[in-house]
Amino acid sequence: MLDRHALRLWAVRSRAALAERREEIDALNVFPVPDGDTGTNMFLTLDSAVERSVAAEPEEELTAFARAAVLGARGNSGVIVSQLVRGLLDVVERPAHDGGADAGVVAQAFRRASDLAYACVGDPAEGTILTVARSAAEAAEARARQAQASLSAVVDAAVAAARAALDRTPTQLAALRTAGVVDAGASGLVTVLDALKRVVDGGGSDVDDPRDGDQADPVAEADRLAALAREAHDGPEVGEDYRGPQHEVMLVLHPSTTSAVDHLRSALGALGDSVVVAVDGDLARVHVHADDPDAVLRAADQAGAVSGVTVTDLHAQAATVRESREATGALAAQDGPLVVVCTDGRGLRELFVDEGALVVPSSPGARASVGAIVDVVEHHPDRPVLLLPNDPDVLLTATSAADELTTAGREVHVVPSRSDVAGLACLAVLDRSAPAHEAAEAMRTAVEEVRSGAIARAARDASTAAGPCRAGDLLGIVEGDIVLVGQSAAAVGTELLDRLLEQGGELVTLVTAGLPDADVAAVREHLTRRWPDVEVGVHRGGQAAYLLMVGVE
């Protein structure tokens, strides 16, 4: 039977497996733009769920875990995996199954999980995590209908079908076929299902402590892994008054020797504070606050093999908190709907705050979570909400947050802005005196009238629809599709704008981040000469993934 203890072990093993593989899954991003964080989003979703449910009463732990997975969901992949978790636990937690889930119940759970995942996507595509979830459910149901089907046999069938469906994803999506990869979200789901299979089969885990043996007690192992995670997350709260080291560095280390761990702790202590090196079997989870992340990585490299690196600018986080506090005071005095925007970059945050919006920080590798959006809105009760995700990978997160808030009695309208320039266009047409649903409809019209483009630097060699690119090349992107590859920012920028303006346009918005002033000037000069009737606005955005973002209205 799959009981509460086994499901808890599955949760922490899934989290550990995704921690190990998230860098590899992130690298499956079909475009060579440095904004692919599918594995990171899935890991952070389950990580948050495990952390938030640790304090729950034993009989309520799984319900708390499912709820925490939804609130902690980040990015489209995180939202979908949270719905899969919720669907599985919805069935297993029913009163009739208090003793645990047998083969038939687990098959029902797979179906419920797949149905919920499909329900949260407006236009589901084949060759994605959804296809793999459905294939697993169909195989589990088919095996459960056979005589004397065991729990292990049903899970084995689901995992085998999921793996086969994953292998087929390049034949179903042209972008995957061109890039020569499988779907990232689907790969993450197979990782989670593999963890379930290990729990059901009673075998060891890649993250087991060798002292536990192959038949580790599930409660003890879950407690141990959860405690290690809590230890690795300890550290000062980063609030508006934070004045400590600038960066938080987290990574996974496979130490070369036992003494290497002790040497690393000592080295990190000299580089910063909040040092944690939590040993977990044959790997260690490392956390430190330091001003020089490169020095941290050099020290870690000397201690063993490094993976899963994340670096967070804590000073920028503190500045965001300060800006949010200041915006909160201004927003409290405003009438009309509360506008909540997910965005990245100090300049962009300032632009949206100046327009009267409340900002939820969201960037590649640190997408806004459902809970973060809900928390911001709940600080402003009794006002209708207009929610702008400004990113296609935050759209499901925003929709899920809206569902949570609507259930709590709030009026929330999601405006499907897929870029920051579209979000700025929305605020330009906002009528705060209008009813919220009318204001939202005007914003949706503005989104439809904006064409978005961007320039990014290729993070790796790849094949694209515009031809092959090498790491360091400049990519011209229109509505998410790579249409240009070049070496000159000015040349790529001018051709990109020509393509966007060929369909007409009266206003061009340029949001820069790291693009040399000379290149920006060359683009503006080209616009003045080739498109003299077009109005041009230039802003410094500070966004992470794109040297230039372009909006044409």
Side-chain angles (χ1 to χ4, degrees):
M1 297 289 280
L2 195 60
D3 61 12
R4 175 171 56 83
H5 299 311
L7 286 167
R8 183 180 179 216
L9 178 56
W10 169 55
V12 292
R13 281 189 175 179
S14 296
R15 192 240 327 245
L18 285 171
E20 274 287 88
R21 291 200 62 225
R22 63 176 173 174
E23 193 173 41
E24 174 191 342
I25 295 170
D26 286 347
L28 294 175
N29 177 29
V30 293
F31 296 120
V33 178
D35 67 347
D37 54 2
T38 298
T40 294
N41 288 335
M42 298 179 84
F43 162 72
L44 290 175
T45 297
L46 288 185
D47 183 59
S48 174
V50 171
E51 288 303 296
R52 292 188 184 202
S53 60
V54 163
E57 294 297 324
E59 63 275 9
E60 298 175 354
E61 187 176 23
L62 294 184
T63 300
F65 177 78
R67 173 72 174 160
V70 171
L71 291 176
R74 297 168 183 262
N76 294 344
S77 59
V79 171
I80 291 171
V81 81
S82 76
Q83 295 301 314
L84 291 166
V85 167
R86 175 186 157 200
L88 283 165
L89 299 186
D90 272 356
V91 173
V92 173
E93 281 282 84
R94 289 173 185 167
H97 309 142
D98 276 346
D102 59 14
V105 171
V106 168
Q108 293 174 38
F110 273 109
R111 170 55 60 193
R112 172 69 172 158
S114 175
D115 289 347
L116 280 178
Y118 267 92
C120 75
V121 178
D123 186 19
E126 293 302 314
T128 66
I129 184 174
L130 296 175
T131 307
V132 173
R134 187 187 67 228
S135 297
E138 290 171 348
E141 289 174 325
R143 187 67 182 88
R145 286 193 294 268
Q146 297 177 12
Q148 298 180 332
S150 67
L151 173 62
S152 178
V154 167
V155 173
D156 283 351
V159 172
R163 285 193 167 280
L166 172 66
D167 292 340
R168 289 195 300 270
T169 57
T171 70
Q172 296 169 301
L173 284 177
L176 298 176
R177 187 164 56 252
T178 299
V181 297
V182 295
D183 181 73
S187 179
L189 175 59
V190 169
T191 298
V192 171
L193 296 181
D194 277 340
L196 179 63
K197 174 175 165 56
R198 288 199 302 273
V199 170
V200 169
D201 290 347
S205 161
D206 292 341
V207 297
D208 287 348
D209 188 324
R211 293 170 299 179
D212 290 338
D214 285 345
Q215 299 295 327
D217 175 68
V219 179
E221 186 184 349
D223 284 340
R224 179 176 63 81
L225 292 174
L228 284 167
R230 287 196 300 277
E231 180 185 359
H233 280 76
D234 283 347
E237 185 82 16
V238 179
E240 61 182 312
D241 297 324
Y242 176 76
R243 294 292 184 271
Q246 181 173 356
H247 296 99
E248 176 189 58
V249 183
M250 298 178 67
L251 55 89
V252 175
L253 175 74
H254 289 268
S256 54
T257 64
T258 303
S259 61
V261 172
D262 295 329
H263 290 312
L264 179 60
R265 283 196 186 97
S266 177
L268 296 182
L271 291 171
D273 60 27
S274 300
V275 175
V276 175
V277 182
V279 178
D280 183 8
D282 62 351
L283 58 85
R285 307 194 186 284
V286 179
H287 173 282
V288 63
H289 290 180
D291 285 319
D292 188 349
D294 291 335
V296 170
L297 295 180
R298 286 195 295 271
D301 283 335
Q302 292 176 3
V306 174
S307 64
V309 178
T310 60
V311 180
T312 303
D313 189 328
L314 301 178
H315 289 180
Q317 282 191 352
T320 299
V321 174
R322 287 194 297 273
E323 293 165 5
S324 180
R325 292 281 179 87
E326 293 166 1
T328 296
L331 285 165
Q334 286 185 358
D335 294 324
L338 178 72
V339 181
V340 178
V341 176
C342 300
T343 193
D344 166 34
R346 185 180 183 87
L348 281 165
R349 292 197 301 269
E350 291 174 352
L351 280 172
F352 283 110
V353 168
D354 288 346
E355 292 293 331
L358 195 59
V359 168
V360 179
S362 183
S363 61
R367 308 279 185 189
S369 69
V370 172
I373 296 171
V374 170
D375 287 345
V376 164
V377 172
E378 287 181 341
H379 279 91
H380 300 271
D382 305 323
R383 292 177 63 183
V385 180
L386 303 176
L387 184 51
L388 281 64
N390 286 8
D391 180 346
D393 201 30
V394 182
L395 183 55
L396 284 186
T397 307
T399 303
S400 187
D403 290 342
E404 292 289 321
L405 292 162
T406 300
T407 301
R410 296 297 295 272
E411 180 186 356
V412 183
H413 302 274
V414 177
V415 179
S417 53
R418 300 174 66 86
S419 66
D420 287 294
V421 288
L424 291 170
C426 287
L427 289 179
V429 302
L430 174 61
D431 180 358
R432 292 189 179 275
S433 65
H437 69 279
E438 292 183 7
E441 191 56 39
M443 285 181 161
R444 292 189 185 101
T445 299
V447 168
E448 293 171 358
E449 294 177 349
V450 175
R451 294 188 299 281
S452 300
I455 297 177
R457 195 172 295 282
R460 57 182 172 82
D461 296 356
S463 297
T464 78
C469 73
R470 300 186 66 83
D473 284 350
L474 295 173
L475 309 174
I477 303 164
V478 174
E479 302 296 351
D481 294 325
I482 296 173
V483 298
L484 298 166
V485 177
Q487 286 73 47
S488 164
V492 172
T494 54
E495 187 172 348
L496 181 70
L497 278 159
D498 285 346
R499 291 194 180 205
L500 289 168
L501 286 166
E502 281 171 356
Q503 302 175 50
E506 300 174 353
L507 172 64
V508 169
T509 301
L510 306 177
V511 182
T512 68
L515 199 65
D517 290 342
D519 290 322
V520 177
V523 170
R524 292 201 66 172
E525 182 181 348
H526 173 81
L527 286 169
T528 301
R529 184 177 63 255
R530 174 85 185 270
W531 309 96
D533 296 328
V534 172
E535 181 182 349
V536 181
V538 180
H539 308 281
R540 293 187 182 275
Q543 65 273 4
Y546 300 101
L547 299 172
L548 177 70
M549 293 192 296
V550 179
V552 174
E553 301 174 52

